Each structure stands twice: as structure tokens, then as C-alpha cells.
Amino acid sequence: MYSGLSVDTLRVYSTRSHLYEVKNFPFQYSDEVLREDLASPTAGVIGLGRTRISLQAQLASNFKISQKLALCIPSSGNAGNLIIGEVAYNKPFQNISDSLFTTPLIRNPVSSYGNNVIGNFSVEYFINIKSIKVGGTSLRLNNTLLSIDRKSGGGGTSIRTVRGYTSLERSIYGALINEFVKAAANKSIKRVASVAPFGACFDSKTINSSKTGVDVPVIDLVLQSKTVYWRFYGSNSMVRVGNNVMCLAFVEGQPNLSGPTTSIVVGGYQMENYLLEFNVDSSRFGFSSSLLLHGTSCSQFGAA
């Protein structure tokens, strides 16, 4: 049943391959409604939000470890890893982790799921994007959309692995499309008819290859300063949709009918092959540059 909550024994392995048990671990039955828009054949999802019954919260409570998530999402067809707690990573990830960009994780004071009363904090992770650049050019945006409205809870930027692609509010999305198309044309990349749900598609025969995927204009989500930005190269900004057709892998966001609408939701495709650290205890989010720049990928990530 969709709303049924039950408990069971959860068995997890430590980074030293020791098996541990968590008694009375709560879970919800995986109704199809909960798996809408997820890749097939997804059987369920792990709750990693900012709640007392999330996986990391319960492991932290049971084993007295920190609520720190190290997440590395692989590209399609490969295996990745999730590590909870403070551990050393394998090479070269330990060195990569020493130079992560970091930014505060902020709280939305209004829940995203219908219980829109100030003080009912959202369980999602939010970051404070200040601007967006395409090929080094800043988009002209309504900057109020980038901040969370403290009364309504609307606006701002959240991070959600269950979203396939990053979604942006209509005016932000339009500005991104326009600037990307212009910058792509400067690289002699030919635009072709759009393929839903993507707003800009291109002839892949006119796109060169690079170390970080196809060679297209980079997209930067700029955070608290000009030197702290999440940069997406072709491997994370373009998706192949057919013979000789690639599209910009961002979509227009839709209104949230059950609560406040977030302006930007960073989706799973954009997170692939980045080392991500969510430190719930210190409310910090860390992210690497593209692992492809380091000659590795998330399929190689693990504990030392």
C-alpha cells in the first residue's frame, strides 16, 4: 500500500566489510507513485533527506558516526558507491576530496510537500546559487528567483537525485537556452529541431569531442563567490536522443502543486561523475570538479 509504514532489520556493510544490523529500521512500501520518473527497473529509493529517519540519521544514531554522506553517481550502466561517516577514500579520491569546492547547505523554512507553514522545514538540501554563466557569460536573470522566499518557501536551488535532469524556472530556462544556443553557434555547432522535453538540440556531427565529453560551452552555477562554482562540461550538459542528435540536458521546471515551487532543482544527470559530500552535521556541501578531468569516474570510487 502507498502510505504503509513498517519496520524490518537493515543489514549494512562497513568499509572494512563487516556486517552490521539496524533493528526496527522504518521503511515505506515502494508504490509505483513513489517511483514515477525514475529509471527502470528501479525497485525503491533510499531516503537521504534531512529527517530523523533518513538512512544516515539512523546509522549515525546506532553507530555513533557523523551524518556525512559521500555520494558518487556513475554514468549509466556503471556501479557507484555511497559512504556514510568519516572515512578515508581510495586513490585518487582522497586527493580529490582535499580540494573540493564547499558551500553552505541552507534550510528552506517551508516544507516542499504541502505542509507549507513557516517552521516546517523542508527535508531537501538547498544551496545558494548567485548566478549562472554559459561559456563565461552571466545570464540576465530575475535574481529574486535565486533566493528562497522566507514566507512562501518558493525560489532557491535544491539538489535531488530523484530528478533525472536539472530543471529551471521558465525565465531562467529561457535565458539558459538563448545563451547556450548563441555560444554553441560560435563553435559552429548546428542547431536542429528540439526533442521533448529538451528545449535545444544539435547535430552531433558538428560537435567535437573532448576529455570531458563533447566540446560544448561550459555551464557554471556560481555560488557564494566568483571562485566557487559548479561547472558542467559536455558529459553532464548534453544527452544523446537519437541518431546524430544531442540535446542540452536541462528542462523547464513545472509548478509544484503541493507546495512552494523551487526555481532550480539540480538533477541526477548533472551529478554524474562528481564526488559529492553532504555534511549534515556542519551543514556544508562539497563537490569536486568533473572526475573526467582527473582521469577517473565514480565507478572507481570507494573507501581506502
Side-chain angles (χ1 to χ4, degrees), residues 54-97:
S54 65
L55 178 62
Q56 76 277 1
Q58 293 191 76
L59 293 181
S61 176
N62 277 271
F63 304 114
K64 310 306 178 187
I65 60 176
S66 64
Q67 287 198 58
K68 178 182 176 182
L69 315 173
L71 178 65
C72 213
I73 300 176
S75 54
S76 179
N78 295 303
N81 267 315
L82 166 68
I83 297 175
I84 297 176
E86 292 280 358
V87 298
Y89 306 138
N90 59 351
K91 294 182 179 180
F93 294 93
Q94 188 60 46
N95 290 336
I96 293 171
S97 71

Side-chain angles (χ1 to χ4, degrees), residues 133-136 180 187 216-220 231-234 237:
K133 292 183 178 181
V134 175
F180 191 88
K187 286 179 168 285
V216 295
V218 296
I219 297 174
D220 295 333
R231 173 165 289 179
F232 301 120
Y233 297 90
S237 66

Side-chain angles (χ1 to χ4, degrees), residues 27-285:
F27 69 93
Q28 188 173 25
Y29 294 104
S30 182
D31 189 275
E32 289 184 3
V33 174
L34 298 174
R35 292 179 274 121
E36 286 181 355
D37 300 324
L38 298 180
S40 178
T42 301
V45 295
I46 298 173
L48 298 174
R50 301 178 86 164
T51 72
R52 288 180 295 176
I53 62 170
S54 65
L55 178 62
Q56 76 277 1
Q58 293 191 76
L59 293 181
S61 176
N62 277 271
F63 304 114
K64 310 306 178 187
I65 60 176
S66 64
Q67 287 198 58
K68 178 182 176 182
L69 315 173
L71 178 65
C72 213
I73 300 176
S75 54
S76 179
N78 295 303
N81 267 315
L82 166 68
I83 297 175
I84 297 176
E86 292 280 358
V87 298
Y89 306 138
N90 59 351
K91 294 182 179 180
F93 294 93
Q94 188 60 46
N95 290 336
I96 293 171
S97 71
D98 292 335
S99 58
L100 297 182
F101 294 98
T102 62
T103 193
L105 285 171
I106 58 179
R107 299 299 299 265
N108 188 332
V110 181
S111 171
S112 303
Y113 297 102
N115 195 11
N116 55 340
V117 177
I118 296 175
N120 290 335
F121 287 100
S122 172
V123 302
E124 297 176 24
Y125 297 101
F126 281 79
I127 55 176
N128 192 12
I129 289 176
K130 297 291 189 179
S131 64
I132 301 175
K133 292 183 178 181
V134 175
T137 300
S138 295
L139 304 185
R140 298 183 63 180
L141 304 174
N142 176 358
N143 287 332
T144 60
L145 294 170
L146 300 180
S147 299
I148 298 172
D149 186 298
R150 309 307 291 182
K151 292 184 178 180
S152 71
T157 300
S158 68
I159 304 172
R160 298 193 66 192
T161 58
V162 294
R163 291 287 183 89
Y165 300 96
T166 294
S167 64
L168 304 103
E169 183 274 338
R170 176 174 292 182
S171 66
I172 300 175
Y173 187 60
L176 176 71
I177 291 291
N178 291 339
E179 188 58 41
F180 191 88
V181 168
K182 185 190 306 182
N186 291 336
K187 286 179 168 285
S188 300
I189 298 173
K190 180 182 177 181
R191 189 177 185 182
V192 297
S194 297
V195 179
F198 306 110
C201 298
F202 304 88
D203 182 349
S204 62
K205 299 192 302 296
T206 65
I207 307 176
N208 295 322
S209 297
S210 72
K211 185 177 183 179
T212 52
V214 291
D215 183 14
V216 295
V218 296
I219 297 174
D220 295 333
L221 304 183
V222 183
L223 294 143
Q224 66 266 27
S225 72
K226 293 180 180 180
T227 59
V228 181
Y229 51 86
W230 196 347
R231 173 165 289 179
F232 301 120
Y233 297 90
S235 59
N236 296 90
S237 66
M238 300 293 289
V239 60
R240 187 173 297 277
V241 298
N243 291 334
N244 301 323
V245 178
M246 298 192 77
C247 297
L248 181 63
F250 292 73
V251 298
E252 181 179 320
Q254 301 302 313
N256 179 11
L257 301 180
S258 63
T261 299
T262 302
S263 295
I264 303 172
V265 180
V266 180
Y269 190 80
Q270 274 64 49
M271 299 183 217
E272 290 181 3
N273 290 318
Y274 288 84
L275 175 58
L276 308 177
E277 289 186 349
F278 297 80
N279 194 323
V280 181
D281 291 335
S282 64
S283 290
R284 302 289 295 180
F285 172 61

